[in-house]
Amino acid sequence: LCTITVTYAGRTATKVVTIQNDMRPDFLVTGISLVPGGTMPAGKTFTAYVTVTNQGVVSGDGGYLSLWTNSPAPVTNKVLGNKYSAVGTVSAGKAKAYTFSAVTVPWSNGVYTIRALVDRMQITTESNETNNQTTLGYTCKMLTNLVVTGVATIGEGTGTQYTCTAYWSDGSTED
């Protein structure tokens, strides 16, 4: 809000106006990818690659980028994630990539939602504060039986072909 007072020819007029400043950054999480992707074994680790884009018209400090391994509902800005990284300055119209290593998969079967939120602590005032988080679903399964086979290279059975099959807890397999 801004108060403007004008005096002319002995008369004074005062007006309170709202000034909208759109000259701000606007951070978005524009991509999440997981390696390995697809179905992941329970309790193991993966790497998450997250892209942050500033779609605003000026550069700004993106504060912290936070990652939650299972957050299907939007998070509030003050909730601490499982992992985080300082974002630093992102130029207007540019994107930066961040890597989160050794992220642990939950220990039980299910479909989970990984969530990333940029400017978690609202360090920078943005032109839009409601578009800072996004999600990606992934599946986790427990391994219950692992049959390992291969080609024998020494001893009895040299040259015999074996196969490898992993049995997930729901009975499905992956070779």
Side-chain angles (χ1 to χ4, degrees), residues 24-141:
R24 296 185 177 140
D26 184 22
F27 303 111
L28 292 90
V29 175
T30 52
I32 302 174
S33 63
L34 309 179
V35 175
T39 300
M40 292 188 264
K44 299 299 182 184
T45 61
F46 62 90
T47 300
Y49 298 95
V50 180
T51 304
V52 171
T53 301
N54 177 359
Q55 72 175 10
V57 295
V58 298
S59 298
D61 182 351
Y64 288 94
L65 174 62
S66 294
L67 193 71
W68 289 262
T69 55
N70 187 31
S71 182
V75 294
T76 62
N77 290 332
K78 306 300 185 214
V79 176
L80 188 61
N82 301 100
K83 296 266 188 173
Y84 66 91
S85 176
V87 173
T89 300
V90 182
S91 298
K94 301 294 182 184
K96 287 176 89 175
Y98 301 86
T99 302
F100 294 91
S101 299
V103 180
T104 303
V105 176
W107 279 97
S108 58
N109 291 345
V111 176
Y112 294 92
T113 304
I114 194 161
R115 179 176 300 275
L117 168 64
V118 65
D119 197 22
R120 182 180 68 82
M121 298 299 291
Q122 295 182 323
I123 290 173
T124 301
T125 302
E126 301 175 58
S127 59
N128 184 347
E129 295 284 1
T130 65
N131 61 354
N132 291 16
Q133 51 189 302
T134 197
T135 62
L136 177 68
Y138 66 100
T139 302
C140 172
K141 290 185 181 179

Side-chain angles (χ1 to χ4, degrees), residues 138-170:
Y138 66 100
T139 302
C140 172
K141 290 185 181 179
M142 301 278 295
L143 283 173
T144 57
N145 187 14
L146 179 61
V147 178
V148 178
T149 56
V151 176
T153 57
I154 60 172
E156 287 186 38
T158 299
T160 303
Q161 180 69 43
Y162 293 88
T163 60
C164 179
T165 303
Y167 293 90
W168 297 105
S169 59
D170 66 358

